[in-house]
Amino acid sequence: MFDTMKALIDYATEHETTFSEIMIKHEMDTRGMTREEVMAMMQQNLDTMREAVEKGTTGKGVKSVTGYTGQDAIKVHEYNKNHQALSGFDMIAAVEGAIATNEVNAAMGIICATPTAGSSGTIPGILFKLEKSHDLTNDQMLEFLFAASICGMVIANNASVAGATGGCQAEVGSASAMAAAAAVQTFGGTPEQAGHALAISISNLLGLVCDPVAGLVEIPCVMRNAIGSGNGLISADLALAGVESRIPVDEVIEAMDKVGRNLPASLRETGLGGLAGTPTGEAIKAKIFGDSKRSEVFS
């Protein structure tokens, strides 16, 4: 497979093909499956994403076991329906889907980890927003996910998509970048433009720490997916407009890896630093887990 984004971009350009088509053929070859079987597997992922968004935005929404997160997607939905959103209807529609997915995750519901559970809302938020605003077909949505997948593979092989290794930049940052590149492909951008979108997206969230309050994927994880969805859409638009990342995409991925490794352990999913280490964050942890010894076990 491709070791770098440059190799992927060059191959797609030379063979006049797309990221999604390359990924589909890769899955067929490595899994020994037919095209129909590979597409059916991705369809299951798409259906899972849709069900999570619908669950989080229907009725009263969902609430986590701790009670500290949930039902915000419903608030955002109502706000977007009854007000002129400052960042625009479409942007808030993406935010709504992103929050809904992560609220379902926090409520122990079924989600599709894209690329992780903690960042599972970013891609669906963008994808279902584009379906509504730009009338994407089911096939286009599947191709979007395959394109995002191959970009995620390159990122994971050269850096990380785990908060414990690289901070939230590796989770929400990667998800945002994957979606940005996929969106560029979906709307007729070149492979090179998709690379610029990916680079811009990661650059915008470079250094983002992973500091889950009480060690749970709730605060601030849910809202960071909202930011990830906005970042991905903006980065895709910038690339489609002809804006280029001045730092090559593979160097941006390498920088993310180095930044992540240089983050202190307290800012890499341990639930010790950042927002988790604030007085309120510590109080929430104590309320959920009780005495300090027990909370340490779950940190």
Side-chain angles (χ1 to χ4, degrees):
M1 205 49 179
F2 300 95
D3 294 327
T4 64
M5 282 301 299
K6 183 180 186 304
L8 173 62
I9 291 167
D10 288 347
Y11 182 90
T13 302
E14 180 182 350
H15 293 82
E16 297 183 348
T17 188
T18 62
F19 289 177
S20 55
E21 189 61 29
I22 295 170
M23 189 62 182
I24 291 168
K25 290 180 178 178
H26 170 72
E27 290 292 281
M28 291 169 61
D29 292 341
T30 57
R31 294 177 181 271
M33 290 181 168
T34 65
R35 186 182 189 88
E36 290 71 25
E37 289 171 330
V38 170
M39 297 301 283
M41 288 182 64
M42 189 59 85
Q43 183 68 55
Q44 183 179 8
N45 292 333
L46 177 60
D47 292 343
T48 299
M49 292 179 191
R50 188 184 298 279
E51 289 168 8
V53 170
E54 290 177 350
K55 185 175 182 179
T57 55
T58 301
K60 295 183 178 180
V62 297
K63 205 166 183 64
S64 69
V65 176
T66 66
Y68 281 103
T69 57
Q71 301 179 321
D72 284 332
I74 294 293
K75 295 176 184 176
V76 174
H77 176 78
E78 291 301 315
Y79 170 79
N80 209 24
K81 184 170 65 174
N82 299 313
H83 297 79
Q84 186 174 0
L86 303 184
S87 52
F89 178 88
D90 288 342
M91 184 68 77
I92 295 303
V95 166
E96 175 188 328
I99 292 175
T101 302
N102 276 85
E103 287 185 335
V104 169
N105 176 60
M108 307 302 287
I110 299 173
I111 52 89
C112 181
T114 49
T116 65
S119 59
S120 60
T122 299
I123 290 176
I126 292 173
L127 182 55
F128 293 118
K129 174 269 170 194
L130 292 174
E131 179 190 27
K132 293 177 182 177
S133 63
H134 289 73
D135 298 319
L136 295 187
T137 66
N138 190 76
D139 284 347
Q140 286 178 311
M141 296 178 79
L142 292 177
E143 290 171 1
F144 181 106
L145 292 178
F146 279 113
S149 298
I150 198 167
C151 293
M153 184 182 297
V154 175
I155 293 171
N157 288 337
N158 286 278
S160 173
V161 294
T165 302
C168 197
Q169 59 166 8
E171 294 206 24
V172 170
S174 294
S176 184
M178 292 159 60
V184 168
Q185 174 193 280
T186 301
F187 293 96
T190 65
E192 185 177 6
Q193 285 177 315
H196 285 303
L198 191 152
I200 292 169
S201 192
I202 289 179
S203 298
N204 290 343
L205 297 181
L206 198 64
L208 183 60
V209 302
C210 183
D211 52 350
V213 172
L216 303 174
V217 187
E218 296 191 45
I219 307 168
C221 316
V222 175
M223 296 306 159
R224 284 193 178 151
N225 278 263
I227 296 302
S229 64
N231 179 50
L233 286 168
I234 291 168
S235 298
D237 270 331
L238 288 171
L240 287 169
V243 176
E244 299 181 353
S245 171
R246 300 306 179 191
I247 307 299
V249 59
D250 289 306
E251 291 184 27
V252 172
I253 294 172
E254 182 182 4
M256 182 176 75
D257 181 48
K258 290 181 178 179
V259 169
R261 294 179 187 280
N262 282 322
L263 288 174
S266 62
L267 299 179
R268 286 189 279 122
E269 209 172 349
T270 55
L272 298 175
L275 296 178
T278 62
T280 298
E282 292 286 359
I284 290 173
K285 182 168 71 172
K287 186 173 182 179
I288 294 173
F289 295 118
D291 63 72
S292 59
K293 287 185 179 179
R294 190 180 177 195
S295 65
E296 286 174 6
V297 173
F298 286 89
S299 294

